[in-house]
């Protein structure tokens, strides 16, 4: 190929049009990729998360849907003063900025009262130990009920006037009343042996009496007194 033919092809409109088309395609790809990623990731978009706490789950779901957000329950809790199925907590917090389609995680109030297992404190601990253990587990403990028995010893427990035993599940919020000994014993308590006192004039077991022995003497045997 002659050099004139080579340079002639380089200066032809066909080659330059192809190069221009390739450049345009490349620019379009770069721009398209940039805007496509921005659209996919919602670049520059910011949605303020509404406060859905203490609202019913259905209302909260609708509020979030209107903002382009999703909702997901992660756990349940219990607040006696709030209705069942209402939102207790949410994450992220109200006022945070997120993108469309973000999931809001919530904790929902349970409709069933949770229960706690009563530990083995009856006839097994002092009132101080029992109160410490119960409060640490989340129980509510009322003023103790004192009964006849060893001082400060736990003999029983009641909830709403009903006797409960170890291992029984007690509703959260119920007040546990401990039955505690007041330090006195009942009259028919057979565990105490009463011993009669021994006096000096009584004969000791296996010994001799301490009472002086004497002989009875008749008047005839008494000595006669001389009268002048």
């Amino acid at each position: 190929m002659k050099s004139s033919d080579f340079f002639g092809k380089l200066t032809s409109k066909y080659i330059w049009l192809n190069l221009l088309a390739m450049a345009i395609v490349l620019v379009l790809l770069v721009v398209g990729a940039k805007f496509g990623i921005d659209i996919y990731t919602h670049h520059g978009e910011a949605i303020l998360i509404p406060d859905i706490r203490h609202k019913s789950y259905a209302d909260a779901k609708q509020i979030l849907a209107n903002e382009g957000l999703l909702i997901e329950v992660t756990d349940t809790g219990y607040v006696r003063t709030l209705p069942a199925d209402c939102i207790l907590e949410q994450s992220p917090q109200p006022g945070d900025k997120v993108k469309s389609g973000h999931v809001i995680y919530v904790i929902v109030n349970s409709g069933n009262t949770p229960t706690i297992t009563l530990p083995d404190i009856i006839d097994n601990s002092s009132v101080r130990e029992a109160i410490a253990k119960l409060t640490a587990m989340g129980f509510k403990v009322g003023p103790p009920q004192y009964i006849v028995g060893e001082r400060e010893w736990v003999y029983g427990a009641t909830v709403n006037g009903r006797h409960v035993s170890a291992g029984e599940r007690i509703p959260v919020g119920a007040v546990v009343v401990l039955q505690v000994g007041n330090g006195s014993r009942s009259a028919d308590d057979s565990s105490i042996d009463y011993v009669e006192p021994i006096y000096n004039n009584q004969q000791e077991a296996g010994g001799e009496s301490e009472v002086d022995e004497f002989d009875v003497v008749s008047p005839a045997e008494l000595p006669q007194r001389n009268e002048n």
Side-chain angles (χ1 to χ4, degrees):
M1 179 183 292
K2 295 181 180 181
S3 58
S4 60
D5 294 336
F6 177 75
F7 287 107
K9 289 184 178 181
L10 288 176
T11 57
S12 65
K13 294 181 179 181
Y14 178 75
I15 293 178
W16 287 108
L17 289 174
N18 286 338
L19 292 174
L20 180 61
M22 292 174 63
I24 293 173
V25 170
L26 182 61
V27 171
L28 290 176
L29 287 175
V30 172
V31 174
K34 181 180 183 303
F35 282 100
I37 293 175
D38 290 344
I39 294 173
Y40 179 77
T41 60
H42 304 281
H43 180 72
E45 182 182 13
I47 301 175
L48 288 176
I49 299 178
D51 189 355
I52 56 174
R53 292 171 298 183
H54 297 177
K55 297 184 182 299
S56 68
Y57 177 80
D59 292 343
K61 183 177 182 180
Q62 185 60 50
I63 292 172
L64 295 178
N66 293 339
E67 299 292 338
L69 303 174
L70 304 176
I71 187 171
E72 182 176 333
V73 178
T74 59
D75 201 357
T76 58
Y78 179 74
V79 177
R80 184 174 56 85
T81 58
L82 294 177
D85 210 33
C86 79
I87 307 300
L88 298 178
E89 294 292 340
Q90 65 178 95
S91 179
Q93 296 299 312
D96 290 350
K97 294 181 179 180
V98 295
K99 297 174 183 179
S100 177
H102 194 87
V103 179
I104 309 301
Y105 300 97
V106 297
I107 298 177
V108 178
N109 196 31
S110 175
N112 299 321
T113 304
T115 57
I116 311 175
T117 302
L118 186 71
D120 186 13
I121 58 172
I122 299 174
D123 205 18
N124 193 37
S125 60
S126 67
V127 61
R128 181 176 298 179
E129 295 171 342
I131 291 176
K133 183 177 293 185
L134 291 174
T135 53
M137 294 178 64
F139 285 96
K140 293 183 178 180
V141 183
Q145 175 188 1
Y146 287 97
I147 60 176
V148 174
E150 184 179 344
R151 183 180 297 277
E152 303 300 319
W153 188 252
V154 177
Y155 288 95
T158 62
V159 174
N160 296 327
R162 180 179 64 85
H163 284 273
V164 293
S165 57
E168 189 170 342
R169 299 195 66 85
I170 309 300
V172 172
V175 178
V176 179
V177 177
L178 299 176
Q179 294 179 319
V180 182
N182 59 7
S184 63
R185 296 181 180 272
S186 60
D188 57 352
D189 190 350
S190 60
S191 64
I192 302 177
D193 296 329
Y194 292 95
V195 179
E196 292 291 341
I198 299 177
Y199 299 99
N200 292 334
N201 59 349
Q202 292 181 338
Q203 183 177 3
E204 297 180 357
E208 297 180 354
S209 174
E210 295 182 357
V211 179
D212 294 335
E213 298 181 357
F214 59 91
D215 295 331
V216 178
V217 179
S218 63
E221 297 177 347
L222 292 174
Q224 299 293 327
R225 187 177 59 176
N226 297 325
E227 295 180 356
N228 294 327

